[in-house]
């Protein structure tokens, strides 16, 4: 869920990438509501309370551009944020929130699936997994469905600051095994700004790539 439009007054460097402008553009509840401006899009997805909003704020050098909801699963639409007038970072609704009834959950899942399958400007999807949980059945099912669409998906372990070294190693191993990765996932902390440089590198590479196959 987003706040009103917010734009940087001065450039901010995040992970070696300079953010000149970052603003909320619009929210969509169906494909007809997607931005008309044909710019590359990178979407963020994960279970509710995985730290998605905090990470997006950290990447854009902001604190409140993407609103961090006090109620997990509250966001029900797709929110678009334009960065440097060049591309969109896209906040997708959290998956697997138990308090949303089945009909609404299915409707949201259908919308996300339709967006991933049909949005021609979507260059890739970043799927966040809580490092403490190591990849749940919902994570596995969701990632498999994304891969089936042919959309490139990058698995990122979140909340690095919440674990010690041994817990970190175990969490990365679990995520790698459960989500069938060739190597350990990138790990980030929005709070400590850990891993943002590597993540920006991945985002920028995806934006300039024409690949449309699962990774």
């Amino acid at each position: 869920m987003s706040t009103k439009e917010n734009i940087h007054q001065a450039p901010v460097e995040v992970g070696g990438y300079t953010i000149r402008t970052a603003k909320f553009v619009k929210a969509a509840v169906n494909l007809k509501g997607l931005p008309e401006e044909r710019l590359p899009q990178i979407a963020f997805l994960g279970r509710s309370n995985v730290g998605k909003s905090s990470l997006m704020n950290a990447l854009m050098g902001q604190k409140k551009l993407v609103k961090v909801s006090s109620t997990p699963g509250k966001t029900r639409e797709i929110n678009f944020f334009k960065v440097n007038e060049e591309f969109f970072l896209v906040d997708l609704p959290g998956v697997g929130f138990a308090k949303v009834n089945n009909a609404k959950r299915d409707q949201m899942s259908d919308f996300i699936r339709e967006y991933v399958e049909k949005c021609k400007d979507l260059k890739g999807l970043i799927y966040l997994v809580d490092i403490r949980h190591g990849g749940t059945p919902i994570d596995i099912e969701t990632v498999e469905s994304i891969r089936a669409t042919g959309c490139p998906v990058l698995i990122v372990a979140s909340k690095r600051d919440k674990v010690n070294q041994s817990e970190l190693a175990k969490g990365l191993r679990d995520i790698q095994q459960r989500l069938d990765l060739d190597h350990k996932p990138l790990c980030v902390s929005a709070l400590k700004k850990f891993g943002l440089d590597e993540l920006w590198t991945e985002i920028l590479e995806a934006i300039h790539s024409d690949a449309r196959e699962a990774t």
Side-chain angles (χ1 to χ4, degrees):
M1 184 168 291
S2 60
T3 62
K4 63 183 180 180
E5 182 176 300
N6 190 0
I7 305 176
H8 283 307
Q9 299 300 311
V12 176
E13 186 170 308
V14 180
Y17 181 68
T18 301
I19 310 294
R20 299 185 304 276
T21 61
K23 62 183 178 181
F24 169 66
V25 175
K26 68 182 305 184
V29 294
N30 54 49
L31 290 185
K32 292 181 180 179
L34 300 187
E36 294 181 3
E37 194 170 8
R38 301 299 303 274
L39 294 174
Q41 299 178 14
I42 298 293
F44 290 73
L45 182 64
R47 294 194 67 186
S48 296
N49 206 29
V50 76
K52 179 162 51 72
S53 299
S54 297
L55 178 60
M56 292 183 70
N57 278 328
L59 284 169
M60 292 186 282
Q62 297 261 8
K63 293 183 178 179
K64 298 180 180 179
L65 182 56
V66 185
K67 187 174 181 182
V68 181
S69 176
S70 59
T71 305
K74 188 176 181 180
T75 301
R76 306 287 174 80
E77 65 277 326
I78 296 180
N79 291 296
F80 294 84
F81 301 86
K82 190 192 293 186
V83 179
N84 290 345
E85 301 296 323
E86 296 175 356
F87 56 88
F88 290 107
L89 295 186
V90 185
D91 184 18
L92 299 176
V95 297
F97 184 59
K99 291 185 179 180
V100 177
N101 66 47
N102 289 334
K104 287 187 177 180
R105 186 184 303 122
D106 291 344
Q107 186 178 26
M108 284 189 288
S109 298
D110 289 344
F111 180 27
I112 294 172
R113 187 179 303 109
E114 188 178 21
Y115 165 73
V116 172
E117 288 178 348
K118 297 182 179 180
C119 180
K120 296 180 180 179
D121 296 320
L122 180 62
K123 295 294 186 177
L125 190 146
I126 294 168
Y127 189 88
L128 298 181
V129 178
D130 192 322
I131 186 66
R132 298 170 297 180
H133 302 152
T136 67
I138 290 175
D139 292 322
I140 296 168
E141 179 183 351
T142 305
V143 169
E144 287 178 349
S145 67
I146 295 167
R147 286 171 172 160
T149 69
C151 178
V153 54
L154 175 68
I155 308 301
V156 174
S158 65
K159 302 194 176 184
R160 166 66 181 86
D161 53 285
K162 300 292 186 181
V163 295
N164 59 34
Q165 284 299 122
S166 62
E167 292 169 335
L168 171 66
K170 181 181 185 302
L172 293 177
R173 283 197 307 270
D174 288 346
I175 293 172
Q176 181 179 1
Q177 293 172 1
R178 293 172 186 174
L179 296 176
D180 193 24
L181 303 177
D182 293 333
H183 47 76
K184 289 184 174 63
L186 171 62
C187 192
V188 300
S189 167
L191 179 64
K192 301 294 185 179
K193 308 296 187 291
F194 182 86
L196 300 189
D197 51 348
E198 296 174 86
L199 186 50
W200 262 124
T201 297
E202 294 282 355
I203 290 172
L204 295 173
E205 286 181 357
I207 286 172
H208 295 104
S209 171
D210 292 328
R212 186 64 168 156
E213 58 185 18
T215 58

